[in-house]
Amino acid sequence: MAKRDQENYRKLFEKSYDAKILEGISNILGWDQETMMPEGASTIRGEQLKTMAGLIHKSKTSPDFKEALGNLIDIKNGKIIAKGLSKEQESALKCWRKDYLRDVALPEEFVKNFAKITSEAQVVWRNAKKENNFKLFAPYLEKIIELVKQKSRHLSKKGSHLYDALLDEYEPGMTTEDVDALFKKIKDPIIALLKKIKSKKQVKDDFLHGKFPDSKQVSFSQILLDDMGYDKAYGRLDFSTHPFSSSSHPTDSRITTRIHPTSLMSNISVILHEGGHALYEMGLDPKEYGSPLGQAVSLGIHESQSRFWETRIGKNKAFWKHYFPLLKKAFPKGLEKIDLDLFYKAINKVEPSFIRVEADEVTYPLHVILRFELEKDLIEGKLKVKDLPKAWNKKMKEYFGITPKNDQEGCLQDVHWSMGAFGYFPTYALGNMYAAHLFETLEKEQPDLEKKLEKGQLAFLKEWLKDKVYRYGRQFESLELLKVSTGKPFTEKAYVDYLQKKYKEIYGL
Ligand code: ZN
């Protein structure tokens, strides 16, 4: 029996591998669209991507795939039929089943309509944002919310919250209740911390803005990527309007950046952030490529990897002890009189602001919590679309103490809702919290961490993360993974402690 089951497992893996190959091709088309493609090709690229999406869906839901899956696990009730599989293989089967059920749950008509409406909505949203006119976007948002609710009904387990199935797409295993509870625990301490910071003298950071030649910024990026252990034989750095990372296989994991000629830290943050995402994809087991064991766990865990590098390393004093002299050498003008202490405070400046993607470490989670609360209310019908701008501004005032002067810098700023991506936002905050939980263990296991960072030794971090996160693929869901890899159940504590301790020192609270 066991032998036949291994044979069946291999067959299922092969079918899944075929779909993964198609996904990889589609990713490269998507990467090309944002980096290299001539503008005039956008229509045909849209067709190409649509064709690929159709092929991928067909491959993942084919009768062959279903049969191969059904030989090993009862698709209806999730009971594993196969004997003699390893526990890793059993985890993989559960993921395969979950993905399959999601893939077949949505009627084709619905998927097509969803794609049509959201692609129109993105165009409208862009104009609405440009013209600062929420009324333009509102009817589309209403339609999208209806569609998203329908989607949830197709996917939901009986009795679950409508938001659960949406969240589950990005953060498998996590429920609305879990996120609610976690966010409630961090919200008050962070708002209190922000209030204290605001009562103190602001740190100086004017020297971070000036003229910083593009070419030197790019060279500095290369140093960082090399030191992180980002192997250029398996990756590339290119440029795009919005930075991103894109992987088609562990041997091809690319990133992009955007150079601000007048902002010193923008590109550095992007490089560490996208580099963190890319290292995760590069570090997945190539032998498991095509199986859930060769896939990233969730968006939240992915974001824990990017934020680990961007904030926990890239805003760390020990790290800059090594890199600040190099930075000064590259950009002598403006930095010559600045010492490490001033620089460290400047890059960690906390200031309430309107735009999430530019937010500091302390205010960032509040931006996310605000969005989570509003989108949950929209889904539950507690909030009407027409009242969204007002509700947004009210929360901004309450959490940050500031009010946007228009919707452009308020509820129109993010692309997510126009894409129908409800349930996505929480993963941004979860990533920071997960990173803190991991970092606490790193500090315990590596007593000479600071010394290594001070010497610019970073490559061991990649190995550590490989051992703790990359190598498992999707064997465990987020919280289980964190427990397995740190030996401690995940809580918000490490995150809140970190923020309080760090900013107490910086602002002399
Ligand atoms: Zn990210």
Side-chain angles (χ1 to χ4, degrees):
M1 275 306 273
K3 204 175 155 205
R4 199 174 67 210
D5 287 336
Q6 284 298 343
E7 182 57 23
N8 282 335
Y9 186 90
R10 197 185 55 75
K11 272 188 201 152
L12 176 66
F13 196 160
E14 272 170 18
K15 297 266 170 262
S16 178
Y17 179 89
D18 292 344
K20 191 73 186 165
I21 289 284
L22 294 172
E23 273 182 352
I25 295 169
S26 180
N27 288 350
I28 292 171
L29 285 173
W31 170 85
D32 177 76
Q33 184 177 37
E34 303 299 321
T35 53
M36 301 283 169
M37 187 189 79
E39 215 182 297
S42 67
T43 309
I44 190 65
R45 181 57 45 89
E47 290 297 313
Q48 290 163 338
L49 284 167
K50 210 169 95 190
T51 301
M52 288 308 296
L55 287 173
I56 292 164
H57 187 259
K58 213 168 159 185
S59 169
K60 284 178 161 180
T61 56
S62 72
D64 281 2
F65 182 87
K66 186 182 180 187
E67 196 196 318
L69 183 64
N71 282 334
L72 297 159
I73 186 169
D74 187 320
I75 296 177
K76 268 207 179 112
N77 66 22
K79 213 173 150 256
I80 290 170
I81 307 160
K83 302 269 182 285
L85 295 186
S86 67
K87 64 180 192 316
E88 289 86 354
Q89 288 175 320
E90 289 188 353
S91 293
L93 275 186
K94 286 179 193 158
C95 294
W96 262 317
R97 171 179 173 264
K98 190 173 176 180
D99 295 349
Y100 175 77
L101 288 175
R102 180 174 268 276
D103 285 333
V104 295
L106 299 176
E108 208 181 315
E109 258 326 287
F110 177 85
V111 175
K112 276 191 186 149
N113 192 34
F114 193 89
K116 187 172 164 278
I117 301 285
T118 51
S119 103
E120 283 169 21
Q122 283 172 65
V123 177
V124 174
W125 164 76
R126 216 152 266 145
N127 285 329
K129 186 176 171 183
K130 208 161 82 196
E131 294 172 23
N132 185 29
N133 184 350
F134 180 74
K135 285 207 174 96
L136 223 58
F137 180 52
Y140 277 87
L141 187 55
E142 271 164 16
K143 263 190 238 172
I144 287 175
I145 289 166
E146 266 325 298
L147 283 175
V148 162
K149 279 157 87 173
Q150 278 177 35
K151 182 175 154 186
S152 175
R153 284 188 200 106
H154 282 301
L155 297 167
S156 283
K157 285 184 217 124
K158 266 204 187 93
S160 66
H161 192 290
L162 268 185
Y163 191 82
D164 279 354
L166 307 174
L167 184 64
D168 193 71
E169 185 170 354
Y170 308 107
E171 203 59 21
M174 198 72 125
T175 66
T176 312
E177 214 184 326
D178 296 333
V179 174
D180 228 359
L182 274 174
F183 284 3
K184 276 200 181 107
K185 279 186 199 149
I186 65 169
K187 191 164 119 182
D188 288 345
I190 292 178
I191 291 177
L193 177 63
L194 181 61
K195 273 207 177 119
K196 272 195 225 159
I197 291 172
K198 278 167 75 181
S199 74
K200 293 285 176 177
K201 198 170 155 240
Q202 187 52 285
V203 300
K204 223 170 96 78
D205 75 335
D206 53 333
F207 48 86
L208 298 179
H209 305 279
K211 279 208 178 90
F212 307 102
D214 289 21
S215 62
K216 288 199 171 157
Q217 290 203 45
V218 176
S219 317
F220 198 76
S221 311
Q222 295 296 355
I223 298 176
L224 289 178
L225 287 171
D226 284 347
D227 291 355
M228 285 169 83
Y230 180 76
D231 190 341
K232 279 200 289 297
Y234 306 117
R236 290 178 55 90
L237 171 62
D238 292 276
F239 304 94
S240 62
T241 324
H242 302 286
F244 65 96
S245 62
S246 170
S247 162
S248 60
H249 187 268
T251 57
D252 187 352
S253 182
R254 311 176 187 193
I255 62 169
T256 71
T257 186
R258 170 183 55 187
I259 304 280
H260 271 297
T262 58
S263 166
L264 182 56
M265 292 311 290
S266 160
N267 170 62
I268 292 170
S269 296
V270 167
I271 290 293
L272 293 169
H273 185 100
E274 301 306 336
H277 280 307
L279 284 181
Y280 186 9
E281 294 287 332
M282 244 180 217
L284 293 168
D285 186 351
K287 287 195 297 300
E288 292 293 344
Y289 182 74
S291 124
L293 301 175
Q295 277 174 12
V297 182
S298 69
L299 287 192
I301 293 290
H302 231 302
E303 198 65 7
S304 79
Q305 298 307 294
S306 55
R307 294 292 277 181
F308 179 96
W309 285 97
E310 181 194 352
T311 63
R312 301 307 305 259
I313 303 299
K315 290 180 183 291
N316 191 310
K317 203 177 203 168
F319 168 86
W320 284 106
K321 200 161 184 180
H322 176 79
Y323 288 99
F324 187 53
L326 297 179
L327 194 70
K328 271 176 118 163
K329 221 189 210 161
F331 306 100
K333 234 174 116 193
L335 290 183
E336 66 270 84
K337 285 192 190 118
I338 307 301
D339 66 15
L340 176 64
D341 198 48
L342 266 181
F343 176 75
Y344 170 69
K345 284 182 174 164
I347 62 169
N348 284 296
K349 179 182 172 183
V350 174
E351 193 173 46
S353 63
F354 299 111
I355 308 297
R356 174 183 60 86
V357 294
E358 291 162 10
D360 56 77
E361 263 186 304
V362 175
T363 56
Y364 190 83
L366 296 176
H367 284 279
V368 175
I369 291 171
L370 174 147
R371 285 155 178 75
F372 164 71
E373 291 174 347
L374 292 175
E375 67 178 11
K376 192 162 73 73
D377 283 353
L378 286 167
I379 295 294
E380 287 174 350
K382 282 187 192 153
L383 175 64
K384 298 255 176 309
V385 166
K386 69 171 171 45
D387 300 324
L388 176 63
K390 227 197 269 166
W392 181 289
N393 295 353
K394 198 175 154 226
K395 281 192 193 284
M396 279 303 292
K397 180 80 190 154
E398 200 182 322
Y399 303 165
F400 299 78
I402 54 176
T403 311
K405 58 179 180 305
N406 55 46
D407 295 333
Q408 207 173 39
E409 60 180 27
C411 65
L412 280 175
Q413 66 181 275
D414 296 298
V415 67
H416 304 62
W417 288 337
S418 72
M419 296 164 63
F422 280 70
Y424 190 121
F425 281 124
T427 65
Y428 289 128
L430 293 172
N432 288 289
M433 298 166 82
Y434 297 165
H437 190 76
L438 286 167
F439 207 85
E440 187 187 53
T441 301
L442 173 71
E443 284 174 320
K444 240 176 251 153
E445 290 184 5
Q446 306 265 340
D448 55 350
L449 172 67
E450 222 173 280
K451 279 204 193 85
K452 283 180 175 161
L453 294 182
E454 283 174 359
K455 287 188 204 140
Q457 293 172 1
L458 305 179
F460 76 99
L461 292 167
K462 185 178 89 171
E463 296 312 316
W464 191 83
L465 289 169
K466 187 171 193 167
D467 183 49
K468 298 292 178 190
V469 180
Y470 309 166
R471 72 183 168 106
Y472 291 107
R474 282 170 72 193
Q475 190 186 339
F476 309 108
E477 287 179 341
S478 317
L479 300 192
E480 187 64 23
L481 171 73
L482 292 170
K483 192 173 156 192
V484 167
S485 60
T486 65
K488 264 174 81 173
F490 167 75
T491 71
E492 77 296 342
K493 197 173 173 306
Y495 179 57
V496 174
D497 286 353
Y498 157 69
L499 289 177
Q500 286 174 338
K501 192 165 161 249
K502 176 172 174 179
Y503 289 93
K504 186 177 172 196
E505 191 222 305
I506 291 176
Y507 279 90
L509 306 177

